[in-house]
Amino acid sequence: MGRRAVKSTVCFTRGPEFKSQQPHGVSQPSVMGSNAVFWALGSDTGGSTRNPAAHCGTVGFKPSYGLVSRHGLIPLVNSMDVPGIFTRCVDDTAIVLGVLAGHDPKDSTTVNDPVKPTTLPSVPDVSGLCIGIPKEYLVPELSSEIRSLWSQAADLFEAEGARVIEVCLPHTCYSIVCYHVLCTSEVASNMARFDGLQYGHRSAVDMSSTEALYAATRQEGFNDVVKGRILSGNFFLLKENYENYFVKAQKVRRLIVNDFVNVFGSGVDVLLTPTTLTQAVPYLEFIKEDNRTRSAQDDIFTQAVNMAGLPAVNVPVALSSQGLPIGLQLIGRAFCDQQLLTVAKWFEKQVQFPVIQLQDLMDDGSLVPENGKLTSGSLTQ
């Protein structure tokens, strides 16, 4: 738990560009970026597959809520968690999704309807589609490099015959606060099971009572980030606070969901947004701010998708001026995952992101692009 794993009991995880010490919340995209495995899974609660994927130059896909079974997944936030997929390319994502998708009798949140195999066309076509650009995502903190790539990506779609329009998601400004209230509330509930009797770590200290065992086990087993979220969640769930915090957050969540419903109901097929505010931040710079502040910054473009249960995918598009990966996010309609991946495949072919290999690492830890034209300053076909 914690955006970049700087509070891990083992160590913080690094990106595929090892020497630059870029920490990441989950290690799977780092493994993917280093070409060590074909695919990997990671839970996506508020962007925990798409954010690290953007920093590691890999595809990170969050399926629609209910499309893939959560059985076996240790839940952080039951109403938002889904198993996310990391791969090197969109075609691989479709293959893995085709294996995983479908009803599971051990997970009541999975859809009962038959799921068709996920097959993507060999020559995807985006002409005639409507691509939405949420104006609320153009925030001052967005780096100039990502802002430029976002604009160039929209131009690519328009040049191919897609209709690109600006759309409005009016409650976006409330989403990050809403997300943290709901997230910590569910964390407080879910973490209660780790009591030393049924799950996880158990304190070896001889205790005089069950309550003392609970306290010692949780003191040893939870780090500061987890403890902070449990305390916050329990505060929001107190009888005197429940209506003012948790219930209000649920109402705001419904407004956020309705924003997406209205946009997609107006004829928009896919939303195009940034995935992160900046490229991966060096470790020494990252730890200058507290974990909660960093989490709020990193989740700004991704967590609303989880609250709405929509599919979304990070597609790596270019290397920054420092040679680090940058990705953009595509968001689709609920259970239109195949259409979303089809658009992502077309976009992937257009940007031709350079495949990151370990032998491509420079002495300073930055990356050498295979296609010299593909940088944050030039997004070419």
Side-chain angles (χ1 to χ4, degrees):
M1 191 186 300
R3 172 55 51 210
R4 302 286 184 86
V6 294
K7 297 292 185 179
S8 169
T9 56
V10 182
C11 65
F12 67 85
T13 55
R14 302 173 187 261
E17 62 290 346
F18 298 99
K19 297 179 184 178
S20 59
Q21 298 189 348
Q22 309 294 326
H24 299 286
V26 288
S27 59
Q28 291 92 332
S30 299
V31 176
M32 294 303 310
S34 61
N35 203 24
V37 298
F38 173 70
W39 60 278
L41 296 178
S43 60
D44 192 314
T45 308
S48 302
T49 56
R50 290 156 286 154
N51 279 328
H55 290 320
C56 293
T58 64
V59 175
F61 176 64
K62 175 212 168 295
S64 297
Y65 186 88
L67 184 63
V68 176
S69 173
R70 296 186 301 117
H71 178 69
L73 177 70
I74 297 176
L76 179 66
V77 181
N78 289 30
S79 67
M80 302 182 201
D81 274 341
V82 296
I85 301 170
F86 297 100
T87 61
R88 300 297 302 281
C89 66
V90 176
D91 276 325
D92 290 349
T93 300
I95 294 172
V96 177
L97 180 63
V99 174
L100 299 178
H103 177 67
D104 182 358
K106 294 184 178 180
D107 180 6
S108 61
T109 65
T110 52
V111 293
N112 289 315
D113 298 335
V115 176
K116 297 179 181 179
T118 307
T119 55
L120 304 183
S122 56
V123 183
D125 180 22
V126 298
S127 62
L129 294 181
C130 182
I131 309 298
I133 308 294
K135 63 180 183 180
E136 291 80 9
Y137 284 43
L138 188 61
V139 295
E141 298 83 3
L142 185 64
S143 74
S144 57
E145 287 185 299
I146 296 180
R147 188 188 305 253
S148 174
L149 287 168
W150 189 17
S151 176
Q152 293 177 58
D155 292 341
L156 284 178
F157 279 100
E158 204 161 32
E160 189 67 16
R163 186 165 62 99
V164 179
I165 63 172
E166 184 181 81
V167 298
C168 180
L169 299 170
H171 297 94
T172 297
C173 59
Y174 308 112
S175 64
I176 194 69
V177 177
C178 173
Y179 168 76
H180 279 289
V181 171
L182 297 177
C183 175
T184 55
S185 297
E186 292 200 41
V187 166
S189 175
N190 283 330
M191 293 299 106
R193 74 188 66 191
F194 295 99
D195 53 15
L197 299 180
Q198 302 178 76
Y199 300 98
H201 171 74
R202 179 170 183 165
S203 177
V205 179
D206 187 21
M207 296 297 167
S208 58
S209 67
T210 303
E211 290 77 11
L213 174 63
Y214 286 172
T217 295
R218 293 163 73 81
Q219 172 65 29
E220 296 171 8
F222 293 151
N223 63 25
D224 292 342
V225 174
V226 181
K227 292 174 185 175
R229 295 189 182 186
I230 292 173
L231 288 172
S232 297
N234 282 319
F235 174 81
F236 296 140
L237 294 174
L238 288 173
K239 182 179 180 180
E240 58 268 30
N241 296 332
Y242 184 79
E243 292 288 337
N244 288 331
Y245 290 97
F246 185 76
V247 173
K248 283 186 178 180
Q250 291 283 30
K251 292 179 179 178
V252 173
R253 180 179 185 177
R254 172 52 57 187
L255 294 175
I256 293 169
V257 172
N258 288 341
D259 285 347
F260 285 105
V261 171
N262 293 336
V263 165
F264 287 121
S266 68
V268 173
D269 296 293
V270 172
L271 296 176
L272 173 65
T273 79
T275 306
T276 58
L277 287 169
T278 64
Q279 63 183 16
V281 179
Y283 173 69
L284 294 179
E285 181 180 339
F286 177 84
I287 60 176
K288 290 179 181 178
E289 294 186 86
D290 65 276
N291 188 278
R292 182 173 181 176
T293 301
R294 281 294 183 185
S295 295
Q297 293 171 345
D298 288 344
D299 289 338
I300 188 171
F301 300 128
T302 54
Q303 39 72 34
V305 172
N306 292 77
M307 289 196 286
L310 302 175
V313 60
N314 170 78
V315 179
V317 296
L319 298 178
S320 70
S321 58
Q322 298 181 28
L324 295 174
I326 293 176
L328 293 178
Q329 178 180 226
L330 295 167
I331 304 170
R333 304 167 186 257
F335 298 105
C336 291
D337 299 56
Q338 182 165 328
Q339 182 192 46
L340 176 66
L341 291 179
T342 299
V343 175
K345 179 178 178 178
W346 175 88
F347 185 46
E348 179 184 61
K349 287 188 175 182
Q350 303 306 304
V351 299
Q352 297 179 356
F353 181 78
V355 176
I356 300 172
Q357 303 287 356
L358 291 181
Q359 61 266 28
D360 295 329
L361 295 175
M362 300 172 64
D363 291 337
D364 63 357
S366 60
L367 300 170
V368 180
E370 291 181 355
N371 178 359
K373 296 181 180 180
L374 188 58
T375 64
S376 60
S378 175
L379 190 63
T380 58
Q381 297 189 32

